[in-house]
């Protein structure tokens, strides 16, 4: 009897990995969020009925084709097994979400950025802005609704960043928008929807279609055949993104038209921000977590692309905005390719002592400690080095010289 091997994910899909010649994938994903090259599930085997046997199923093909089909099937089955072992849920770790926020998200990439997912970065940044202790859990498992990220709190599971924030506000009494009036709240929501329902898709295209080769380098996978698995996962994600963009409608336009839409969104954000510290004024609000989670992708994960050139060139106020949030809420986040144009000389030197991003650990911004365990004081308008986070920190003379050289 002829057998097939596949990967059954925790959603309505099966990836057929070794039915002789085929490699097909059926996936049902929503806008928040197509899995960026990380999948979890179970390996299943199923009989292929109505075939007389392996050799009969191969028909009259020559012996070298038969050998190729069998070898390919075996390799794909081995890849499926390795994928299951690498991405399976860490069942040995018992999660206790009693009075603790467990944040499920995709694994850290290997380029120093916390996440290649704008929504995961948004959610973790929000938790830091609200000063809520949380524990990361990088299991790759989607929520019951098929979303990522999602949280567990007191054994209740909540997915979708908007619903997570509403849930935390209700249960824990936090509210980053309490200083906003009705008009500002309306503007904040409108900006959030523009970013998440429009700007996001152009970023996804840039990450997983046009710039796939560079994104593949950032994906973190270890173990045997990791390069092969990354290639497979990234190209599967590329197909998912293109299909979902077409269903959304934005994917029906040409590449140039999509980048025109992206540039309009970025210019809108730059005009809205102006010379303010945050999107809605001098105080941080929920919309800043959303905007930062998306702009950070253009700033640090898309080297050499049009959005990176735009944010680090003409729309420099967005670059300074990203740096300001990173230095205040992500003191341990250090990028090897940092552009010191947006930092003072002293803060650039101090960045060399940043600790690496942690995987499984509780985080709270209320009390920060140095490597020796000594407490470090931190005011609302300074980072952990004591430097101010206002625009005046940026060396504008150096920037003007840089622009004149262009």
């Amino acid at each position: 009897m002829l057998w097939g091997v596949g990967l059954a994910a925790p959603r309505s899909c099966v990836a057929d990995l070794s039915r002789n010649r085929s490699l097909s994938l059926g996936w049902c994903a929503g806008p928040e969020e197509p899995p960026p090259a990380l999948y979890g599930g179970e390996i299943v085997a199923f009989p292929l009925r109505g075939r007389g046997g392996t050799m009969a199923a191969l028909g009259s093909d020559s012996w070298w084709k038969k050998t190729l089909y069998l070898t390919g099937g075996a390799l794909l089955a081995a890849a499926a097994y390795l994928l299951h072992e690498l991405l399976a849920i860490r069942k040995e770790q018992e999660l206790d979400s009693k009075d603790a926020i467990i944040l499920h998200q995709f694994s850290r990439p290997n380029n120093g950025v916390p996440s290649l997912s704008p929504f995961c970065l948004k959610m973790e940044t929000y938790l830091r802005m609200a000063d809520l202790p949380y524990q990361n859990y990088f299991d790759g498992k989607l929520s019951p609704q098929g979303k990522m990220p999602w949280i567990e709190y007191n054994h209740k599971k909540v997915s979708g960043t908007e619903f997570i924030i509403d849930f935390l506000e209700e249960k824990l009494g936090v509210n980053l928008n309490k200083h906003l009036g009705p008009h500002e709240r309306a503007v904040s929501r409108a900006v959030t929807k523009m970013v998440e329902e429009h700007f996001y898709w152009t970023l996804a295209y840039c990450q997983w279609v046009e710039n796939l080769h560079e994104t593949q380098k950032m994906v973190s996978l270890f173990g045997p055949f990791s390069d092969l698995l990354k290639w497979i996962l990234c190209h599967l994600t590329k197909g998912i993104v293109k299909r979902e963009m077409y269903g959304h409608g934005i994917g029906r336009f040409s590449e140039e038209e999509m980048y025109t839409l992206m540039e309009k969104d970025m210019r809108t954000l730059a005009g809205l921000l102006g010379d303010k510290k945050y999107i809605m004024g001098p105080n941080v609000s929920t919309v800043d977590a959303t905007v930062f989670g998306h702009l950070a992708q253009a700033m640090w994960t898309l080297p050499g692309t049009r959005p990176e050139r735009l944010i680090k060139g003409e729309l420099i106020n967005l670059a300074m905005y990203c740096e300001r949030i990173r230095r205040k809420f992500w003191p341990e986040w250090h990028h090897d390719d940092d552009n010191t144009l947006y930092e003072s000389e002293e803060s650039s030197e101090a960045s060399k002592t940043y600790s690496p991003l942690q995987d499984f650990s509780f985080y709270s911004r209320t009390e920060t400690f140095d490597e020796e365990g000594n407490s470090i004081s931190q005011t609302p308008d300074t980072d952990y080095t004591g430097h101010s986070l206002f625009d005046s920190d940026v060396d504008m003379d150096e920037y003007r010289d840089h622009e004149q050289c262009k």
Side-chain angles (χ1 to χ4, degrees):
M1 178 180 291
L2 186 62
W3 289 80
V5 179
L7 172 64
R11 303 172 62 179
S12 302
C13 66
V14 174
D16 185 2
L17 296 174
S18 64
R19 187 180 295 189
N20 292 334
R21 311 184 191 186
S22 64
L23 175 58
S24 59
L25 178 68
W27 194 273
C28 306
E32 188 187 330
E33 170 158 347
L38 290 177
Y39 303 93
E42 300 294 337
I43 303 301
V44 295
F46 48 90
L48 303 180
R49 303 182 183 278
R51 308 288 180 95
T54 302
M55 291 299 105
L58 293 176
S60 59
D61 291 331
S62 60
W63 67 269
W64 65 269
K65 286 188 177 180
K66 297 175 183 178
T67 304
L68 180 62
Y69 297 152
L70 292 174
T71 304
L75 287 175
L76 288 172
Y81 174 77
L82 288 173
L83 178 65
H84 172 73
E85 292 299 315
L86 290 171
L87 303 180
I89 303 173
R90 305 182 185 186
K91 297 180 180 179
E92 69 277 4
Q93 297 195 14
E94 293 294 333
L95 287 181
D96 183 9
S97 63
K98 179 175 174 56
D99 298 327
I101 300 173
I102 308 297
L103 176 61
H104 295 260
Q105 61 170 313
F106 297 115
S107 299
R108 303 280 196 213
N110 56 21
N111 67 330
V113 177
S115 181
L116 294 176
S117 160
F119 290 100
C120 289
L121 183 53
K122 166 194 173 178
M123 194 66 248
E124 191 168 2
T125 302
Y126 172 84
L127 292 172
R128 292 177 176 228
M129 288 177 171
D131 200 12
L132 294 175
Y134 65 93
Q135 184 178 16
N136 277 315
Y137 200 69
F138 301 100
D139 51 16
K141 179 183 177 182
L142 302 178
S143 72
Q145 294 81 14
K147 299 290 187 178
M148 187 71 89
W150 56 286
I151 69 164
E152 292 181 79
Y153 181 79
N154 282 338
H155 307 291
K156 181 175 178 60
K157 300 177 181 179
V158 186
S159 67
T161 55
E162 185 172 354
F163 292 115
I164 293 173
I165 292 172
D166 290 342
F167 173 81
L168 294 176
E169 288 181 351
E170 178 184 351
K171 295 295 182 181
L172 303 179
V174 297
N175 190 350
L176 294 180
N177 298 330
K178 59 184 178 181
H179 62 283
L180 301 180
H183 174 74
E184 293 173 313
R185 290 173 185 263
V187 172
S188 177
R189 177 165 177 78
V191 172
T192 297
K193 294 300 111 180
M194 180 195 76
V195 170
E196 293 184 346
E197 305 296 338
H198 193 266
F199 181 49
Y200 163 76
W201 290 109
T202 56
L203 279 176
Y205 176 84
C206 196
Q207 273 186 317
W208 298 104
V209 180
E210 188 208 13
N211 207 44
L212 181 64
H213 180 68
E214 292 297 326
T215 302
Q216 182 177 327
K217 296 177 183 178
M218 302 176 192
V219 173
S220 180
L221 259 181
F222 303 99
F225 308 110
S226 60
D227 290 339
L228 173 62
L229 289 177
K230 286 199 293 185
W231 186 91
I232 294 174
L233 294 175
C234 287
H235 281 76
L236 288 176
T237 303
K238 175 182 177 180
I240 293 171
V241 168
K242 291 181 69 175
R243 184 168 66 249
E244 294 205 344
M245 289 184 67
Y246 189 85
H248 176 277
I250 197 171
R252 302 173 189 235
F253 298 110
S254 68
E255 179 177 296
E256 186 61 33
E257 289 171 327
M258 282 190 285
Y259 277 117
T260 298
L261 296 175
M262 170 185 279
E263 183 173 336
K264 286 183 178 181
D265 288 343
M266 294 181 70
R267 291 186 183 279
T268 299
L269 291 173
L272 182 63
L273 176 63
D275 59 357
K276 299 193 300 291
K277 186 176 180 182
Y278 299 113
I279 295 294
M280 301 308 298
N283 299 314
V284 70
S285 57
T286 303
V287 69
D288 291 298
T290 302
V291 174
F292 174 75
H294 288 73
L295 286 181
Q297 307 303 319
M299 184 82 173
W300 290 294
T301 73
L302 299 172
T305 60
R306 291 170 64 173
E308 187 205 45
R309 293 195 299 269
L310 190 61
I311 194 173
K312 292 183 177 180
E314 185 177 350
L315 306 181
I316 191 173
N317 65 328
L318 294 181
M320 294 188 294
Y321 168 80
C322 289
E323 278 293 343
R324 197 154 49 243
I325 292 180
R326 187 184 76 155
R327 287 164 53 192
K328 182 170 184 178
F329 298 105
W330 290 90
E332 78 278 30
W333 173 0
H334 172 60
H335 196 270
D336 292 337
D337 298 326
D338 281 343
N339 190 333
T340 56
L341 176 62
Y342 312 109
E343 298 181 292
S344 67
E345 183 176 349
E346 293 180 357
S347 63
S348 178
E349 184 68 23
S351 67
K352 298 178 181 179
T353 63
Y354 285 5
S355 58
L357 295 171
Q358 298 297 314
D359 286 349
F360 289 86
S361 61
F362 279 98
Y363 176 88
S364 176
R365 195 172 56 88
T366 304
E367 195 70 33
T368 306
F369 298 89
D370 60 16
E371 295 181 355
E372 288 73 25
N374 300 317
S375 178
I376 300 176
S377 61
Q378 182 173 323
T379 66
D381 296 325
T382 61
D383 64 9
Y384 85 108
T385 64
H387 292 96
S388 171
L389 297 173
F390 286 100
D391 291 345
S392 57
D393 272 351
V394 180
D395 191 345
M396 294 305 296
D397 290 335
E398 181 181 353
Y399 168 65
R400 293 190 188 97
D401 292 341
H402 177 73
E403 289 297 304
Q404 289 174 359
C405 290
K406 291 182 179 180

